[in-house]
């Protein structure tokens, strides 16, 4: 079982709730993949449309743990205020903390991130910081009180998989006891399987499922990949080698002098 | 009195946040509020005065990644 802030979870696949063809498809994808954690957000509500009310009713009916994000926040102040608003509406201390530093890559502003994490952890939030693979930043986030880290695989929505394998492996090796969840950039189930094989504890997928031709089938495919990747990690993968090594025993080979 | 609600200028007859939300049509909606960039909890709304030119954010649950 995966344990995040004293909450035990069976599923290592987290789903984002954005960009699905319809709310019904989102709900079906969550059920198909037996997902337990779904990310949500806050947006301006028009009193005429009340779009948020219907969405919230749908999510509540799914019976999942929600992980609210601070997506779109570009400053510490915005992110902290959004976190307070999210805690009230969603009634959870969990917050996926995003402080965006650059609009083309949506890469985190790690300086603002650590500052916002320090403030929110001190206020009792259970912070899931969206960060890079940088080891020093990771250390600062842990010092700030974070007990889970969410390093990116690649820029949000890019579908490029694990962009910096070396950096991500180093992060995993440096913090063997810290739950690490790959947050962004996963494109296909093999990327997710790879993340689990490398020892990452879970993956958060949104675009790769929501924008697939058949999101429900793709959610199921990701669930299988995550399960396979975790099973492989537990089974102990072999080390890669530069040269061949015969798998068939050489002793007793025919036609040898 | 004119205040900005989610970036749009609106006219309100009441100078108190909880009453203004009712007047603006958010009566029974699950929303969270911030006034001039500061979070205002549900329990504080009735005691929060509004002034001309205030910037009010009214947020609700939405899809997110």
């Amino acid at each position: 079982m995966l344990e995040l802030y004293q909450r035990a979870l069976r599923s290592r696949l987290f789903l984002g709730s954005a960009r699905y063809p319809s709310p019904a498809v989102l709900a079906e994808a969550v059920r198909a993949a037996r997902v337990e954690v779904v990310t949500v957000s806050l947006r301006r509500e028009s009193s005429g449309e009340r779009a948020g009310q219907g969405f919230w009713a749908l999510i509540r009916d799914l019976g999942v743990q929600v992980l609210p994000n601070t997506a779109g926040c570009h400053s510490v102040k915005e992110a902290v205020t959004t976190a307070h608003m999210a805690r009230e509406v969603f009634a959870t201390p969990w917050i996926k903390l995003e402080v965006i530093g650059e609009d083309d890559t949506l890469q985190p502003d790690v300086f603002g991130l650590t500052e916002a994490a320090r403030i929110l952890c001190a206020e009792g939030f259970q912070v899931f910081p969206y960060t890079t693979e940088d080891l020093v930043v990771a250390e600062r986030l842990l010092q700030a009180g974070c007990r889970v880290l969410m390093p990116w695989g690649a820029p949000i929505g890019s579908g490029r998989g694990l962009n910096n394998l070396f950096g991500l492996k180093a992060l995993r090796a440096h913090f063997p006891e810290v739950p690490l969840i790959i947050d962004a950039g996963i494109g296909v189930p093999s990327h997710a399987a790879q993340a689990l094989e490398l020892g990452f504890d879970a993956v958060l997928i949104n675009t790769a499922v929501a924008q697939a031709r058949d999101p429900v089938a793709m959610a199921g495919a990701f669930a299988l990949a995550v399960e396979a990747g975790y099973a492989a990690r537990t089974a102990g993968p072999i080390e890669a080698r530069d040269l061949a090594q015969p798998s068939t025993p050489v002793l007793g080979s025919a036609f040898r002098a | 009195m004119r205040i900005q609600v989610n970036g749009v200028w609106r006219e309100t007859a009441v100078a108190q946040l909880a009453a203004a939300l009712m007047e603006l049509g958010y009566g029974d909606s699950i929303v969270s509020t911030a006034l001039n960039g500061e979070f205002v909890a549900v329990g504080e709304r009735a005691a929060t005065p509004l002034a001309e030119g205030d910037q009010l954010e009214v947020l609700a649950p939405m899809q997110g990644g």
Side-chain angles (χ1 to χ4, degrees):
Chain A
M1 295 273 263
L2 173 61
E3 197 177 306
L4 305 174
Y5 292 107
Q6 286 85 52
R7 164 100 197 218
L9 297 164
R10 266 184 300 276
S11 172
R12 291 167 184 271
L13 173 62
F14 298 3
L15 271 190
S17 59
R19 307 185 71 189
Y20 291 79
S22 72
V25 172
L26 160 65
E28 214 182 322
V30 167
R31 287 194 204 99
R34 298 210 177 111
V35 165
E36 292 172 289
V37 178
V38 172
T39 59
V40 291
S41 195
L42 282 176
R43 284 292 178 276
R44 287 172 162 176
E45 178 84 328
S46 144
S47 57
E49 292 176 16
R50 298 164 56 94
Q53 309 304 309
F55 172 71
W56 184 216
L58 176 111
I59 293 291
R60 270 182 307 194
D61 285 348
L62 289 172
V64 291
Q65 163 79 46
V66 292
L67 175 55
N69 70 26
T70 63
C73 291
H74 283 69
S75 71
V76 172
K77 167 101 173 150
E78 283 172 19
V80 168
T81 301
T82 302
H84 283 129
M85 298 174 87
R87 180 163 66 176
E88 181 180 81
V89 164
F90 296 111
T92 174
W94 282 21
I95 190 77
K96 180 162 99 82
L97 183 60
E98 296 185 27
V99 182
I100 299 302
E102 206 279 318
D103 275 334
D104 285 331
T105 57
L106 295 177
Q107 113 173 40
D109 165 6
V110 295
F111 306 98
L113 180 70
T114 48
E115 174 63 10
R118 191 185 56 73
I119 294 168
L120 292 172
C121 289
E123 292 178 354
F125 282 88
Q126 296 175 341
V127 178
F128 294 65
Y130 168 60
T131 185
T132 66
E133 62 279 68
D134 190 290
L135 298 177
V136 181
V137 173
E139 185 59 52
R140 295 286 160 85
L141 288 167
L142 296 173
Q143 284 169 4
C146 298
R147 294 294 168 262
V148 178
L149 301 177
M150 299 189 84
W152 64 349
I156 297 171
S158 68
R160 299 181 65 88
L162 306 183
N163 231 0
N164 179 359
L165 265 185
F166 177 80
L168 287 169
K169 283 180 180 175
L171 184 70
R172 180 67 287 178
H174 266 74
F175 303 102
E177 304 301 330
V178 178
L180 299 177
I181 303 166
I182 297 289
D183 182 352
I186 300 276
V188 286
S190 56
H191 296 154
Q194 184 185 28
L196 273 290
E197 284 162 9
L198 290 174
F200 288 92
D201 295 280
V203 290
L204 168 57
I205 317 285
N206 191 344
T207 306
V209 167
Q211 297 279 295
R213 186 163 47 77
D214 183 341
V216 177
M218 189 60 87
F222 267 104
L224 292 171
V226 165
E227 207 174 310
Y230 180 68
R233 172 66 180 188
T234 311
I238 63 163
E239 291 296 324
R241 301 167 49 95
D242 287 334
L243 296 176
Q245 189 181 36
S247 49
T248 303
V250 183
L251 193 68
S253 295
F255 315 118
R256 293 272 174 108
Chain B
M1 178 175 68
R2 274 157 56 83
I3 61 170
Q4 269 193 24
V5 180
N6 290 340
V8 179
W9 286 104
R10 301 278 299 266
E11 190 70 36
T12 172
V14 289
Q16 182 252 72
L17 180 53
L21 286 170
M22 291 294 285
E23 192 197 50
L24 291 163
Y26 292 105
D28 55 353
S29 296
I30 296 170
V31 292
S32 192
T33 52
L35 189 62
N36 301 321
E38 301 289 341
F39 169 58
V40 182
V42 173
E44 300 167 358
R45 287 178 193 162
T48 301
L50 295 176
E52 176 78 26
D54 271 352
Q55 296 188 337
L56 174 64
E57 293 287 329
V58 184
L59 307 189
M62 196 57 64
Q63 294 85 346

